[in-house]
């Protein structure tokens, strides 16, 4: 007695199901769903537009996964560049610190942050002050840092409530200074994810009114850090979960992207928890990742796109 036909075909269904599942895993792990449209868009971008942008496909990793000594348990987060000192500043979330770094990833100074609960973002403002975002307290604090400071108390500096009281650990993590509009761009991590513009300071010296920033489909799952290129005015949006750095123009439209996955843009290994990004005046891009890893990407001199 022969078996019913549907039983003989079952192994085919299993194999098809396994193949679909495997494809889904590849799409998720390689984040192909986040960037398929971006790949197509980059390939159709005219050369003149590439030259007028940051154009991230031209970048390659020149320093990879350099450990920042002594910060293994501190959870390195936001990152900014100070053109006056030629140094970088990062914050750590687990044990609140402001850390000054050289552009090669050498630790120059550790500054204790007193009264901060979970600093996640830091940015140098146009007047030389630094702004620090405390995600847990939903607070933006502006500080003046002196050369000899080894500790800073939040109570000594003005703070601004960023709202979103129910955001919890999904609040504001990203911050960037926009010199052209004299405002801050702020990024809310997720739940929901969003970009906002905050005039800073306002006419009375305080923060203005925060407004949503209009942007297109970013193709990413969270926002962990921001930086604005002073030369083009374009913003760099970093996503930890999507392992991607995205360039958007001043209208919020995607321009180009840099993959943080192994085998792309010169990376030997994937950057798993990218938490901070910034640029210097030469166009070099710096990224810090948890727990304490440091990366530098530079543009290839002969690259035209």
């Amino acid at each position: 007695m022969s078996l019913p036909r549907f039983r003989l075909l079952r192994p085919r269904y299993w194999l098809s199901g396994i193949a679909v599942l495997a494809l889904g895993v590849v799409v998720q792990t390689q984040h192909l769903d986040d960037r398929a449209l971006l790949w197509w868009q980059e390939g159709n971008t005219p050369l003149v537009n590439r030259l007028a942008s940051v154009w991230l496909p031209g970048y390659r990793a020149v320093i990879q996964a350099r450990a920042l000594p002594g910060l293994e348990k501190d959870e390195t987060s936001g990152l900014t560049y100070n053109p006056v000192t030629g140094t970088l500043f990062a914050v750590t979330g687990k044990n609140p610190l402001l850390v000054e770094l050289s552009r090669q990833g050498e630790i120059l100074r550790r500054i204790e942050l007193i009264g901060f609960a979970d600093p996640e973002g830091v940015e140098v403002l146009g007047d030389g002050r630094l702004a620090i975002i405390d995600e847990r307290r939903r607070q933006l604090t502006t500080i003046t840092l002196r050369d000899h400071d080894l500790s800073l108390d939040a109570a000594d500096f003005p703070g601004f409530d960023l709202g979103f009281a129910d955001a919890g650990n999904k609040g504001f993590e990203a911050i960037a200074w926009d010199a052209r509009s004299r405002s801050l761009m702020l990024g809310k991590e997720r739940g929901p994810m969003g970009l906002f513009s905050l005039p800073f300071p306002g006419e009375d010296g305080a923060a203005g009114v925060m407004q949503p920033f209009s942007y297109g489909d970013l193709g990413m799952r969270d926002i962990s850090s921001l930086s604005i290129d002073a030369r083009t005015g374009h913003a760099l949006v970093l996503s930890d979960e999507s392992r991607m750095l995205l360039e958007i123009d001043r209208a919020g439209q995607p321009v180009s992207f840099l993959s943080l996955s192994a085998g792309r843009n010169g990376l030997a290994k994937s950057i798993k928890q990218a938490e901070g990004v910034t640029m210097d005046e030469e166009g070099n891009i710096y990224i810090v990742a948890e727990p304490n890893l440091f990366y530098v990407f530079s543009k290839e001199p002969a690259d035209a796109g």
Side-chain angles (χ1 to χ4, degrees):
M1 179 176 169
S2 60
L3 293 173
R5 180 176 176 80
F6 76 90
R7 289 187 179 177
L8 294 175
L9 294 178
R10 275 187 178 179
R12 294 184 184 179
Y13 297 144
W14 294 341
L15 291 175
S16 298
I18 292 172
V20 170
L21 179 61
L23 178 61
V25 170
V26 170
V27 168
Q28 289 293 316
T29 58
Q30 298 300 315
H31 305 277
L32 302 182
D33 53 332
D34 292 331
R35 58 202 64 173
L37 181 60
L38 293 172
W39 266 318
W40 180 87
Q41 179 179 307
E42 283 185 347
N44 289 276
T45 300
L47 178 59
V48 63
N49 292 353
R50 299 182 185 191
L51 296 176
S53 67
V54 178
W55 198 246
L56 295 172
Y59 280 80
R60 293 295 179 271
V62 295
I63 295 178
Q64 301 189 43
R66 176 167 292 173
L68 300 174
L71 300 180
E72 297 87 349
K73 299 180 180 180
D74 297 316
E75 295 185 357
T76 307
S77 192
L79 189 66
T80 189
Y81 172 70
N82 188 341
V84 176
T85 61
T87 59
L88 306 165
F89 287 88
V91 288
T92 63
K94 190 171 183 180
N95 298 307
L97 295 170
L98 177 66
V99 184
E100 186 173 10
L101 307 166
S102 74
R103 283 185 271 185
Q104 291 71 45
E106 302 161 322
I107 294 182
L108 305 176
R109 181 168 41 152
R110 291 177 174 84
I111 302 153
E112 182 184 8
L113 293 178
I114 302 168
F116 290 83
D118 185 24
E120 289 285 348
V122 60
E123 179 71 352
V124 174
L125 304 180
D127 57 6
R129 291 180 299 166
L130 280 85
I132 297 176
I133 287 182
D134 191 321
E135 184 178 22
R136 193 175 304 163
R137 296 173 62 222
R138 309 179 309 280
Q139 191 88 353
L140 173 68
T141 302
T142 59
I143 65 171
T144 301
L145 180 66
R146 298 166 296 184
D147 292 341
H148 61 275
D149 283 333
L150 295 178
S151 66
L152 296 167
D153 193 328
D156 296 333
F157 301 99
F160 307 93
D161 185 359
L162 294 175
F164 291 88
D166 297 328
N169 198 38
K170 298 178 182 179
F172 288 96
E173 280 199 359
I175 179 172
W177 171 249
D178 186 351
R180 300 189 183 197
S181 63
R182 295 199 60 80
S183 64
L184 289 170
M185 177 181 280
L186 300 172
K188 187 174 178 294
E189 182 183 9
R190 59 181 185 273
M193 182 180 76
L195 293 174
F196 299 83
S197 178
L198 177 65
F200 196 89
E203 294 181 357
D204 58 355
V209 178
M210 185 163 59
Q211 299 288 340
F213 178 82
S214 178
Y215 57 92
D217 183 6
L218 302 183
M220 52 178 50
R221 303 171 192 176
D222 73 330
I223 296 174
S224 55
S225 188
L226 293 167
S227 183
I228 293 179
D229 176 27
R231 302 165 304 170
T232 63
H234 291 188
L236 300 182
V237 187
L238 182 66
S239 172
D240 162 26
E241 293 186 9
S242 295
R243 293 186 188 173
M244 179 171 66
L245 181 65
L246 177 69
E247 175 189 4
I248 61 174
D249 62 21
R250 295 190 65 79
Q253 297 303 312
V255 176
S256 69
F257 78 97
L258 185 151
S259 173
L260 305 183
S261 297
R264 306 288 300 177
N265 299 93
L267 283 170
K269 294 183 179 180
S270 298
I271 304 179
K272 295 183 178 180
Q273 288 184 280
E275 294 289 342
V277 65
T278 193
M279 291 184 72
D280 64 17
E281 64 276 301
E282 297 173 357
N284 298 305
I285 296 173
Y286 304 86
I287 290 177
V288 290
E290 290 184 3
N292 65 327
L293 300 180
F294 179 79
Y295 298 79
V296 181
F297 291 83
S298 296
K299 207 162 196 178
E300 296 180 335
D303 182 83

